[in-house]
Amino acid sequence: MVLTILQQLTLKHSAVRAILGLPDKDAPTARAPSVELTSMQPTIPVQNLSPKELLALSVKHLSREEKDQAVLLLKLALERDPEYVKAMVVMGQTLMQKGLMEDAIEYLERAISKLSLAGHPTEVENVDLLILSSQWAGVVYMKQGKKAEGLAHLETIASLKEPEDPKSKAHYFDGLLLLASALFDFGRKAEALKFLKLVVAYNPKYNYLLEELKNEEYDFASNLASSRRRDY
């Protein structure tokens, strides 16, 4: 069930798309500049782009589901700036979408390590990136059957201070909902209940899930997954 929910928190989520710089999924998108890429060698104009410009071009390709071209651009961006955390996060998410879990977790763990190097980040964008990379690291580990590692990344989100920025706050409570789901799967109902109460206080539409968890009268796992599918 955790996997079903986590899979919804990807590029289909308008808030996630916004933080990565992608246009809204339902909005008209401008065609990306014409760039011919081979599997080995980008064209010379691409080679002249800065890491930030390469990232921007990569997310335009992602908006058209052109993941292979996006990966080539992201690799080039990280070759030029190995410390570019946002490119690491986008790369990790893209590789996750491609099913390359081992490669994805490498980039996500690198990003998380850098974001957490001096303790929890405080800048709005870095807080967002830590929340998102922790969510995606969670799904990768869960897909690999490494549930304890996945849970640890979701618990990282709960250890953060509730953000004031509206988008960051939405991501934060998405993370708490995922954590509640994971804890329920681990049989830790009391802790799941605690985090689900916080989610409901933020967004009352999940109150019915809270009641189901309290009473265990229904299939909480299935209903939670269904509720997330309606959101995306």
Side-chain angles (χ1 to χ4, degrees):
M1 179 268 292
V2 176
L3 291 182
T4 304
I5 301 169
L6 281 162
Q7 287 164 355
Q8 306 305 315
L9 295 175
T10 58
L11 297 179
K12 293 181 181 179
H13 192 317
S14 60
V16 175
R17 296 176 67 86
I19 193 63
L20 296 182
L22 274 70
D24 188 271
K25 184 173 182 290
D26 298 322
T29 57
R31 186 168 181 81
S34 178
V35 178
E36 295 297 329
L37 293 175
T38 68
S39 60
M40 296 297 294
Q41 183 68 38
T43 60
I44 292 177
V46 172
Q47 291 176 334
N48 292 335
L49 297 177
S50 69
K52 185 175 181 180
E53 291 168 330
L54 288 165
L55 174 63
L57 184 56
S58 77
V59 296
K60 288 181 179 180
H61 282 292
L62 286 173
S63 72
R64 303 205 306 265
E65 302 298 324
E66 297 168 352
K67 298 182 181 69
D68 290 340
Q69 289 179 303
V71 166
L72 290 173
L73 292 164
L74 291 165
K75 284 182 177 178
L76 185 55
L78 287 166
E79 285 175 8
R80 295 185 177 176
D81 183 1
E83 304 298 311
Y84 195 4
V85 173
K86 190 171 184 178
M88 293 178 203
V89 176
V90 178
M91 177 69 95
Q93 199 280 338
T94 303
L95 293 170
M96 182 184 75
Q97 289 282 298
K98 286 171 61 66
L100 302 173
M101 300 303 169
E102 292 291 341
D103 294 333
I105 201 61
E106 178 183 346
Y107 284 100
L108 293 170
E109 289 284 18
R110 280 173 57 193
I112 291 167
S113 177
K114 290 183 181 299
L115 288 165
S116 307
L117 191 60
H120 291 325
T122 56
E123 295 182 7
V124 171
E125 182 179 58
N126 286 343
V127 171
D128 262 332
L129 291 174
L130 180 57
I131 292 171
L132 293 173
S133 56
S134 295
Q135 288 180 4
W136 293 334
V139 69
V140 172
Y141 279 124
M142 294 286 186
K143 280 178 172 289
Q144 293 176 320
K146 300 176 181 178
K147 294 185 177 182
E149 290 90 336
L151 179 62
H153 279 292
L154 296 178
E155 288 178 325
T156 294
I157 299 169
S159 72
L160 299 172
K161 180 181 178 181
E162 180 182 328
E164 295 182 4
D165 177 78
K167 287 182 180 179
S168 300
K169 188 187 291 286
H171 297 160
Y172 174 79
F173 282 103
D174 279 339
L176 294 190
L177 183 60
L178 295 170
L179 177 57
S181 171
L183 289 169
F184 184 83
D185 282 351
F186 271 81
R188 294 159 60 177
K189 178 184 172 182
E191 292 171 87
L193 191 60
K194 179 183 75 171
F195 288 110
L196 190 53
K197 284 180 179 178
L198 294 176
V199 173
V200 169
Y202 170 72
N203 190 342
K205 79 174 185 177
Y206 293 116
N207 186 65
Y208 75 97
L209 292 174
L210 181 61
E211 294 304 315
E212 290 174 8
L213 179 58
K214 285 179 180 178
N215 299 324
E216 292 187 316
E217 293 175 352
Y218 301 99
D219 186 347
F220 172 75
S222 176
N223 286 337
L224 181 52
S226 297
S227 74
R228 301 308 294 161
R229 283 194 291 272
R230 288 196 296 270
D231 289 343
Y232 301 104

